[in-house]
Every structure is written in structure tokens, then in C-alpha cells.
Amino acid sequence: MEAYIRFADRVSAWFGKAFAWSILVMTFGVGYEVFVRYVLGAPTSWAFDISYMMYGALFMMGGAYTLSRDGHVRGDVVYRLWRPRTQAIVELVLYFLFFFPGILALIFAGWKYASRSLRYMEVSVMSPANVPIFQFKLIIVAAGILLFQQGIAQVFRCILCIRRGAWPQHESDVEELEEQLIKEHERDILHHGGEAIDIVLPAGQTRNIFHRDHPRHRDERDDSGPPVERPGSPGTKGER
């Protein structure tokens, strides 16, 4: 099972990264259209077709890659509170109830549209350029097949988690900006952890201080009075 998981992840990653270049083609097409339309006064007749075809290809072919990295949006308000084994059982059931039937419907319906489009060499009706789109319909079938093979890998992950009580590690070659900021903040805390910080408190309010070099709890007040030993705290005898 682990060998198939690695194989499926590699296949999904290859196609996802290959089609990621579509975003550059789309950016060039839109940028060129803006330039010739507003600077030269000569708009193109094909830029709109390029934009939705490239974005559609990126969206469809990147689905399996995102699934392999556990990057799809998850409503985990309750899910995150469960143990890993419970999460795996629920996911395993949902894959067979919803995921695989939906993906199979995508493959068969996609092939129906793609084969019909191939028969009469369909072109776009969204612009007068008559851009061919029959090859674009084949992406529906390809995306469904990729999602199906990656779904099998996800089922194997669920089975391994049920056996071991912990999720197998997902490969990660991208990271959310939020996670990067959290890690930077944690590094700053560790770097400045030994420095003193002045905190201004209202009159009469106390705070607990634990110094790493002198592990002794003290009560300090904002009136700069002498520290008072807390009874029973570490380093004291607990006298009243």
C-alpha cells in the first residue's frame, strides 16, 4: 500500500506541476490583450478563450495534486477533535459514499462530452476566432482518472491510519503563508526568550514571573516594592 501511495503521489505531482505552467500562458494572454486593447486600440479575438481554457486546465489537473498534499478545503470544526483512527474511519466511509461515485460520474459524463466534441471538431462560440476546444474537453476525462487513482491512495492512507492509529506523513513541497508566519513568530520567541520585557500593569495587580536562570515564582507589584516570596513555591520552605 505504501508503494502505491508513493507512486500515486508522484504521478499527481507531475501532472499538477506540469499544468501549473498554464498560469503563465494565461497571464501572458491577458497581459497582451490589455496592452493591445488600451494602448494600440486593436483588441484580440482569442484572449478570452485562452484565459478560461488555461484556468480550467489548471483547476482540473491540479485537483489530484492538491488531494495528494491534503490541501483541499476541509470543514474540520468537529473533525479535528476526533482521534486519528476515528477520522480515518469516517473518511474511508465518505470516500466510498461520495468521492468515488462522483469521480466515476465525472469520467463517464466527461467522456460523453469529449467524444461528441471530437466527432465534429468543436470550436469556441465565445469569440469569432473559432478557437478549437475539442481537446480541452478531454481534460475532464484526464482529471477524473487522476482523481480516481489518487483516491485509491487516500483509501490506503485511511487503512494504514486505522491499523497504526496515526496518519501517514503527506509529502509537502508547498507551505501556506500562515504556517510560515507562525514558524517565524515561534523562532522570534525562542530567540528573545531570555530577554527582559517591561510590562506596565494597573495599580495593585500582580503577575507571576518564572525566570529560567533562577526558577523561583515571585509576585511583583507595579509599585516597585520588594518581591514577596510565595508560600510553598519552589525554592522556599513554605513558611507562613
Side-chain angles (χ1 to χ4, degrees), residues 4-5 8-9 12 63-64 67-68 91-92 95-96 99-100 103 144-158:
Y4 179 83
I5 291 174
D9 286 352
S12 298
L67 182 60
S68 70
E91 281 202 21
L92 185 62
Y95 270 113
F96 285 101
F99 180 84
F100 287 114
I103 295 303
I145 295 173
L146 280 176
L147 282 168
F148 189 88
Q149 63 93 26
Q150 186 60 47
I152 297 175
Q154 299 304 110
V155 167
F156 288 164
R157 280 192 168 96
C158 292

Side-chain angles (χ1 to χ4, degrees), residues 24-221:
L24 293 181
V25 179
M26 184 182 72
T27 303
F28 172 78
V30 174
Y32 179 79
E33 166 66 16
V34 171
F35 175 77
V36 298
R37 175 182 292 268
Y38 294 103
V39 177
L40 304 180
T44 66
S45 59
W46 47 263
F48 178 71
D49 294 292
I50 291 296
S51 65
Y52 74 75
M53 290 174 65
M54 291 298 100
Y55 183 76
L58 174 67
F59 178 82
M60 295 294 290
M61 299 302 289
Y65 171 59
T66 307
L67 182 60
S68 70
R69 270 43 176 180
D70 196 28
H72 285 291
V73 176
R74 184 196 302 274
D76 60 351
V77 177
V78 178
Y79 176 90
R80 63 187 175 86
L81 302 177
W82 297 336
R83 295 178 302 174
R85 184 174 281 108
T86 304
Q87 294 175 350
I89 293 173
V90 172
E91 281 202 21
L92 185 62
V93 173
L94 294 180
Y95 270 113
F96 285 101
L97 283 180
F98 298 105
F99 180 84
F100 287 114
I103 295 303
L104 287 174
L106 177 67
I107 294 173
F108 288 113
W111 175 249
K112 175 183 176 181
Y113 291 121
S115 60
R116 185 172 59 188
S117 179
L118 283 170
R119 281 198 300 269
Y120 59 86
M121 307 297 285
E122 184 181 5
V123 296
S124 174
V125 297
M126 305 299 292
S127 66
N130 292 328
V131 177
I133 62 171
F134 59 89
Q135 75 282 2
F136 179 63
K137 296 291 183 69
L138 291 173
I139 290 180
I140 302 175
V141 182
I145 295 173
L146 280 176
L147 282 168
F148 189 88
Q149 63 93 26
Q150 186 60 47
I152 297 175
Q154 299 304 110
V155 167
F156 288 164
R157 280 192 168 96
C158 292
I159 295 174
L160 291 176
C161 181
I162 294 172
R163 290 180 179 177
R164 302 172 181 176
W167 284 104
Q169 186 67 32
H170 283 272
E171 294 187 19
S172 59
D173 44 20
V174 293
E175 190 174 30
E176 295 289 342
L177 178 60
E178 180 182 357
E179 296 180 2
Q180 294 181 2
L181 294 176
I182 291 174
K183 290 180 180 180
E184 291 179 2
H185 181 64
E186 291 175 348
R187 285 196 296 266
D188 290 340
I189 292 176
L190 293 175
H191 180 69
H192 300 288
E195 299 180 3
I197 302 176
D198 295 331
I199 302 177
V200 180
L201 298 175
Q205 184 175 344
T206 63
R207 60 189 171 93
N208 295 330
I209 296 179
F210 184 84
H211 198 281
R212 67 176 185 177
D213 296 328
H214 302 284
R216 183 172 62 182
H217 288 279
R218 299 184 299 168
D219 287 338
E220 283 195 358
R221 298 183 180 273

